[in-house]
Amino acid sequence: MRPERYNFRESERKWQKTWSEREVFATGKSDWRPHYYVLEMFPYPSGRIHMGHVRNYAMGDVVARYKRARGFNVLHPMGWDAFGMPAENAAMQNSTHPAKWTYANIDAMRAQLKSMGLSLDWSREIATCDPSYYKHQQRLFLDFLSAGLVARKKSKVNWDPVDHTVLANEQVVDGRGWRSGAIVEQRELTQWFLKISDYSEELLTGLDALDRWPEKVRLMQRNWIGKSEGMMVRFAIDPASRGKLAGEAAATELEIYTTRPDTLFGAKFMAVAPDHPLAAAAAAHDPKLAEFIEECRRIGTSVAAIETAEKKGYDTGLRVFHPFDANWRLPIYVANFILMDYGAGAIFGCPAHDQRDLDFVNVYGLGVTPVVCPPGVDPSTLTVGKVAVDGDGVMINSRFLDGMTVESAKAEVARRLEAHTLGNRPQGQRQINYKLRDWGISRQRYWGCPIPIIHCEDCGTLPVPAADLPVRLPDDVTFDAPGNPLDRHPTWKHVACPRCGQPARRETDTMDTFVDSSWYFARFTDPWNEAAPTTPEVANSWLPVDQYIGGIEHAILHLLYSRFFTRAMRKCGHLGLDEPFAGLFTQGMVVHETYRDAAGQWVAPSEVRIGAEAGERRAFALKGDAPIEIGPIEKMSKSKRNTVDPDEIIASYGADTARWFMLSDSPPDRDVIWTEAGVQGAYKQTQRLWRLTCEIERVVGASRPGKPTNFSPEATKIRQIAHAALAKIEDDVEGLRFNVCIATIYQLANSLSAAIGAIDDADIADDLRYAFAEAGDMLTHAFAPMMPHLAEECWEALGHGTLVAQSPWPQIDRSLIVATHVTMPVQVNGRKRADLTIERDADAKAVEAAALALDAVRKALDNKPARKVIVVPQRIVNVVV
RNA sequence: GCGGACGUGGCGAAACCGGUAGACGCAAAGGACUUAAAAUCCUUCGGCCGAAAGGCUGUGCGGGUUCGACCCCCGCCGUCCGCACCA
């Protein structure tokens, strides 16, 4: 006799051991079967896995196990995104070494992941902080350098004056450093850049082919790349106004960028960015202007300030000539809303058709002339008040452009300005601009990949010779002072110049951690290669990743950087493809109710008892029974203490239950609400499936019958149910609709339960026993990707000597699914009145006649003749009176 | 401000191409078994009328197209997300 209850503790341990001993999930290196690469975004080793990880990895594991059953050679690896600031923060707080802290966390999290029973190939495990990984990253950096994909340039950065380090934009909150609380300064620092903007156009057009990516992510990347088509136009500066400028070499012209050359006759002013060279030149003789520029700089960083800042400007006194009218002069302002690093850092202002320009003009009273008249508006009555006019229309007040459409006016202005010369060059030139900036990767941090560069006073900036890689992080560093420990290390940075041998200085900046995660998916394809980052023919055989799964928060940064890296690696011969991820799925978050006590302090779910009072849900403290306020459902976070520890769930209910609950109910791309009742429900289902399997085993008996040649109607019915359900489950898993898939599994289980209840136990015929055995196998296969431990236990109970994890997906007999008869609803005037069961291939005439003959239909018609009968074969009949 | 997504029972949701709205699950109510509890099993479960059969109504709101609309079109309302002085 099988035990009544399924003991998850015993079974999960047993099957995990079996899988590991038999190396069931190690990916064969020489395997003729088609490849399938499924990958979940690898975790940062913070110390503990959280429910978001459980959800993410449960989904990936369903795909991996399913594809393995479908006959693919599946690659499903795991690693650690192990560099980053938390390790340094921990080092400062607990005086432990970042490496020690990180590797201890990795050990703890690996054990947690293993307790989930994931079908991972642990032999390929990598950690980005390991020299065996970052040595190849340094090699990639040097290859990119030789390929012209690396630049060293000055740029503005967020500088925290207390912590002495650069901060990422995300780490600046309301103009202050997130850790120190100090007001962040804008500093010019020389930084290393990866030239992602070389690929702006390719990264943009490449999105079109990523048809298995969420449209939302593609759109976000499109907006981020921010392509715009416009013109660079040079305006001559009126010599009479140039006295304002300093020096003999003073500028004679001003170049601007515009996407609206058609509105040139609506121009009222010119504006340059506060850090534009012309602004600096004009400020040299104008202390008030210098002060204005300084003020703009101070406000510059804070997002909040930008939102509320009014449009402000300062008239330099300089004047330019309108390109189409030598008698038309326009003033040059320095304005706080012009960005230096976009376009030319200067614009011409057309207030009628640009909201910002209009706001500006309304402050300084420079006037408004509309030049585009929207359709259906009388030009003589057109006025512009507080809202600029955008959109299409007909050109007015624009001399030779009058009457043209916006589009043809743009073309006409472009044609004329390209033909017209200023100096010896065309006055205007069509140009495409992108918002995408080059990627600054320098970080003044210890716990990151060292940039393999040596600075020599005589020879300049030199790459570390390949033979000297890796540039290893020194172990003996201190974190007792702010700033970069590498920079103040007594010896590490002092090296001999690889060219002249004189004393030189090592680069002490390390790489942004996003570099580490930009190519790990490629490393997984051959992590044993010590000589090179990839083995191209192996990498090319696995990549692109067939299914990548992770959070939407990486929609831009990580997913864009990886797309760039793949192209850069292709250029250097490490890969032979463009796109790293053929399929992308972004899963929703795990959310939970929040709780607060009377004092307003957050209370953890584990400290709360949920009860009912007067029919309403109420919460009480486990200790003392004080009432607890139930707050809104929010993303699980430590600060609100609404987290649930996966370890505790796995200990109380088992990994299968945790996985099953994460996959059921909510669509995978939406948030899932974690509830105690939901977990308990999932747990009940594991027991129910186990009981059902035991019953099937009892019906089937000790020896399985062979496949009979004929099946009784009862046996056929069971086979139809099982085959049809499995076919639907295939579709659901392929479409990543796990919640629907689970509903179908429930339906199958319910049907089989009912069928068993209906049979007469006395004498069970072989064909029925066969049908139940087959249905039991199919049911087990159906839930095996979600609850793999229970599935192994059931598989064994059903009399198999093999592992379900290594068994092929059952063959579906499609002829069983197509029934001979169909039942279709019959509507009268769009309202359902009856069901009609008829031969599947009955022709429309026969269906119509049968439908009209139904009592319920005749009654609904009430002797009135049918005006029209619509028959959709195998779907529906609608009788119109 | 710009862009996008979503809105279906008490709750999570399903409905794949315009064809039976609410599959499946949770919660709830009633019952069986039990000394009792847990576990398990059975029944009911969008709203209104009705003992039932059945009828009417119903997918955020208002229109439209269609034999037929959760689905398509137009106009609103609400929620969430992303971007944001990008010329």
Side-chain angles (χ1 to χ4, degrees):
Chain A
M1 274 299 281
R2 299 257 160 218
E4 268 297 294
R5 293 184 68 75
Y6 166 66
N7 184 335
F8 67 85
R9 267 175 257 264
E10 220 167 80
S11 290
E12 292 189 352
R13 199 177 311 126
K14 176 175 78 182
W15 295 114
Q16 283 168 19
K17 190 159 170 269
T18 305
W19 294 330
S20 164
E21 280 170 3
R22 300 195 199 170
E23 296 183 357
V24 174
F25 307 123
T27 305
K29 272 190 262 185
S30 49
D31 189 325
W32 56 270
R33 293 173 305 166
H35 284 180
Y36 192 91
Y37 189 176
V38 55
L39 185 67
E40 301 96 62
M41 291 179 184
F42 67 163
Y44 177 78
S46 58
R48 316 273 308 156
I49 64 168
H50 53 68
M51 278 302 168
H53 292 127
V54 174
R55 194 176 192 203
N56 193 183
Y57 302 141
M59 287 181 195
D61 206 42
V62 170
V63 176
R65 287 176 181 270
Y66 170 78
K67 287 292 178 183
R68 225 175 261 122
R70 294 307 301 265
F72 287 90
N73 181 22
V74 171
L75 176 57
H76 187 212
M78 182 54 73
W80 310 96
D81 190 11
F83 273 136
M85 290 184 11
E88 285 189 65
N89 294 339
M92 284 179 237
Q93 280 156 25
N94 314 326
S95 60
T96 164
H97 192 276
K100 201 180 154 200
W101 183 86
T102 302
Y103 280 106
N105 286 349
I106 288 175
D107 288 343
M109 289 175 74
R110 187 193 302 106
Q112 286 187 296
L113 291 184
K114 287 196 171 179
S115 77
M116 280 183 68
L118 301 168
S119 65
L120 292 163
D121 181 356
W122 284 103
S123 71
R124 293 171 188 254
E125 178 182 352
I126 53 179
T128 57
C129 66
D130 199 294
S132 67
Y133 181 83
Y134 71 68
K135 128 177 148 179
H136 300 294
Q137 191 163 305
Q138 292 172 341
R139 157 85 183 273
L140 287 174
F141 178 88
L142 296 180
D143 284 355
F144 291 179
L145 185 65
S146 345
L149 292 170
V150 176
R152 186 167 159 77
K153 52 189 178 187
K154 266 197 167 187
S155 86
K156 269 199 287 182
V157 294
N158 303 306
W159 179 260
D160 186 320
V162 171
D163 278 357
H164 298 278
T165 184
V166 166
L167 295 179
N169 287 332
E170 301 78 39
Q171 293 154 354
V172 180
V173 183
D174 289 336
R176 291 171 182 272
W178 68 300
R179 264 175 49 84
S180 67
I183 292 177
V184 167
E185 296 170 6
Q186 293 280 294
R187 275 206 185 176
E188 290 249 319
L189 278 186
T190 305
Q191 303 254 298
W192 290 99
F193 285 83
L194 297 184
K195 290 165 79 176
I196 188 171
S197 66
D198 280 10
Y199 290 90
S200 294
E201 186 60 32
E202 230 189 278
L203 289 168
L204 183 68
T205 53
L207 290 169
D208 295 337
L210 295 174
D211 55 352
R212 286 177 53 230
W213 278 41
E215 187 50 42
K216 183 188 171 80
V217 174
R218 293 199 282 171
L219 194 70
M220 282 168 75
Q221 292 210 355
R222 261 183 215 115
N223 291 339
W224 188 262
I225 294 167
K227 181 178 183 174
S228 84
E229 295 181 42
M231 288 194 83
M232 299 294 276
V233 184
R234 291 177 304 120
F235 287 63
I237 296 175
D238 179 359
S241 68
R242 283 181 56 213
K244 300 273 180 187
L245 290 177
E248 289 295 308
T252 57
E253 58 188 48
L254 173 63
E255 186 170 47
I256 60 99
Y257 178 71
T258 179
T259 56
R260 294 299 302 272
D262 53 306
T263 64
L264 215 41
F265 287 106
K268 293 293 173 188
F269 66 96
M270 312 297 288
V272 302
D275 34 9
H276 193 281
L278 198 62
H285 287 308
D286 189 340
K288 275 193 175 162
L289 176 54
E291 198 179 303
F292 175 77
I293 292 170
E294 193 47 45
E295 187 193 324
C296 291
R297 259 189 210 139
R298 272 202 304 275
I299 300 172
T301 44
S302 143
V303 175
I306 285 171
E307 263 172 20
T308 54
E310 279 177 42
K311 301 282 175 286
K312 278 190 183 169
Y314 187 96
D315 186 354
T316 58
L318 290 163
R319 299 291 178 265
V320 296
F321 295 116
H322 193 282
F324 293 125
D325 187 342
N327 296 317
W328 185 349
R329 288 181 187 77
L330 293 159
I332 302 180
Y333 278 75
V334 176
N336 64 349
F337 63 98
I338 308 300
L339 304 172
M340 188 57 217
D341 59 358
Y342 184 80
I347 60 147
F348 82 83
C350 174
H353 305 291
D354 184 292
Q355 191 60 47
R356 291 157 307 179
D357 296 349
L358 184 62
D359 294 344
F360 186 77
V361 154
N362 284 341
V363 175
Y364 296 97
L366 299 171
V368 179
T369 305
V371 290
V372 179
C373 186
V377 176
D378 179 355
S380 61
T381 63
L382 178 63
T383 53
V384 179
K386 294 253 178 219
V387 182
V389 177
D390 55 7
D392 225 334
V394 175
M395 304 308 300
I396 53 171
N397 303 324
S398 293
R399 307 186 193 182
F400 55 83
L401 298 175
D402 281 350
M404 288 186 187
T405 62
V406 166
E407 201 190 323
S408 46
K410 278 181 186 172
E412 178 60 19
V413 170
R415 193 186 63 75
R416 289 191 185 226
L417 288 179
E418 278 172 346
H420 199 264
T421 54
L422 180 68
N424 290 319
R425 293 184 294 138
Q427 185 156 17
Q429 209 165 10
R430 274 173 257 234
Q431 185 170 310
I432 290 167
N433 269 340
Y434 301 89
K435 287 190 222 171
L436 185 63
R437 298 273 89 92
D438 280 335
W439 174 16
I441 59 159
S442 298
R443 296 290 180 270
Q444 293 70 40
R445 301 254 164 214
Y446 165 73
W447 197 232
C449 173
I451 296 173
I453 290 289
I454 291 167
H455 302 280
C456 173
E457 281 210 1
D458 295 336
C459 310
T461 298
L462 299 169
V464 171
D468 294 349
L469 295 183
V471 176
R472 283 174 182 269
L473 287 170
D475 287 331
D476 51 337
V477 283
T478 55
F479 295 92
D480 47 9
N484 184 353
L486 289 179
D487 203 38
R488 59 169 187 269
H489 188 280
T491 55
W492 187 76
K493 68 178 171 186
H494 303 296
V495 287
C497 170
R499 186 177 294 166
C500 70
Q502 295 300 304
R505 183 178 62 80
R506 215 181 255 301
E507 172 69 58
T508 57
D509 285 352
T510 53
M511 294 184 206
D512 181 4
T513 54
F514 276 104
V515 177
D516 312 337
S517 54
S518 290
W519 68 285
Y520 76 108
F521 47 88
R523 183 67 188 167
F524 274 137
T525 61
D526 188 1
W528 303 283
N529 187 341
E530 289 179 20
T534 64
T535 310
E537 61 273 21
V538 176
N540 295 340
S541 79
W542 282 108
L543 292 169
V545 174
D546 294 282
Q547 187 63 61
Y548 196 37
I549 308 176
I552 186 81
E553 67 272 19
H554 294 108
I556 293 173
L557 295 174
H558 162 59
L559 290 168
L560 192 60
Y561 292 152
S562 298
R563 295 182 62 223
F564 158 67
F565 241 76
T566 303
R567 288 168 169 82
M569 287 172 78
R570 175 199 59 196
K571 188 172 185 184
C572 301
H574 296 295
L575 290 176
L577 68 156
D578 292 341
E579 291 292 344
F581 313 119
L584 173 70
F585 188 84
T586 53
Q587 103 260 7
M589 295 183 298
V590 183
V591 296
H592 196 288
E593 276 181 336
T594 49
Y595 307 105
R596 281 177 195 256
D597 62 18
Q601 297 295 308
W602 300 106
V603 181
S606 57
E607 299 165 0
V608 169
R609 173 180 70 81
I610 302 292
E613 205 172 72
E616 282 206 20
R617 277 182 86 246
R618 291 280 161 75
F620 304 92
L622 272 183
K623 279 184 195 158
D625 223 36
I628 297 287
E629 188 198 338
I630 300 179
I633 296 168
E634 294 188 56
K635 179 183 181 175
M636 284 189 179
S637 74
K638 278 182 192 157
S639 63
K640 298 201 171 139
R641 301 198 63 208
N642 62 337
T643 57
V644 173
D645 183 9
D647 264 2
E648 284 174 26
I649 297 299
I650 290 171
S652 319
Y653 298 100
D656 284 344
T657 295
R659 295 167 57 132
W660 187 257
F661 178 52
M662 285 283 80
L663 297 167
S664 55
D665 285 348
S666 287
D669 53 347
R670 269 191 234 173
D671 291 353
V672 62
I673 305 169
W674 184 276
T675 62
E676 189 64 20
V679 190
Q680 282 169 9
Y683 178 72
K684 273 194 233 171
Q685 297 302 334
T686 63
Q687 296 296 347
R688 217 177 126 234
L689 287 168
W690 172 244
R691 277 196 308 275
L692 176 59
T693 303
C694 293
E695 281 183 52
I696 290 172
E697 183 214 1
R698 187 176 52 78
V699 169
V700 173
S703 67
R704 280 191 173 217
K707 186 173 180 180
T709 42
N710 287 307
F711 286 96
S712 64
E714 301 83 64
T716 304
K717 185 77 203 157
I718 287 163
R719 298 193 71 212
Q720 281 172 342
I721 289 168
H723 284 251
L726 200 65
K728 178 153 173 20
I729 286 159
E730 274 182 17
D731 288 348
D732 292 338
V733 175
E734 300 269 2
L736 307 178
R737 292 181 295 271
F738 306 122
N739 57 324
V740 185
C741 177
I742 284 176
T744 311
I745 291 170
Y746 281 141
Q747 257 173 329
L748 174 60
N750 290 347
S751 304
L752 293 179
S753 248
I756 284 183
I759 58 170
D760 178 4
D761 273 11
D763 181 25
I764 305 165
D766 277 0
D767 65 332
L768 201 54
R769 288 170 54 216
Y770 177 89
F772 271 112
E774 184 189 55
D777 288 354
M778 287 184 162
L779 176 66
T780 305
H781 260 288
F783 68 76
M786 291 101 171
M787 298 201 282
H789 310 88
L790 175 66
E792 293 294 0
E793 205 65 42
C794 292
W795 193 248
E796 191 178 64
L798 288 167
H800 296 284
T802 54
L803 293 173
V804 70
Q806 286 180 306
S807 302
W809 194 253
Q811 274 290 323
I812 293 171
D813 184 347
R814 303 272 157 189
S815 70
L816 277 169
I817 301 171
V818 183
T820 53
H821 284 68
V822 290
T823 299
M824 47 208 277
V826 181
Q827 299 179 330
V828 176
N829 285 337
R831 193 156 290 146
K832 187 194 166 188
R833 296 297 176 180
D835 280 316
L836 174 66
T837 300
I838 196 163
E839 291 84 27
R840 183 192 160 77
D841 43 7
D843 65 29
K845 270 228 164 72
V847 173
E848 180 177 333
L852 289 172
L854 290 167
D855 283 347
V857 174
R858 293 224 303 264
K859 197 179 144 207
L861 285 175
D862 196 23
N863 285 326
K864 280 174 280 195
R867 252 197 311 134
K868 193 172 166 189
V869 180
I870 289 124
V871 176
V872 185
Q874 292 154 45
R875 296 231 69 143
I876 201 165
V877 180
N878 193 9
V879 182
V880 187
V881 183

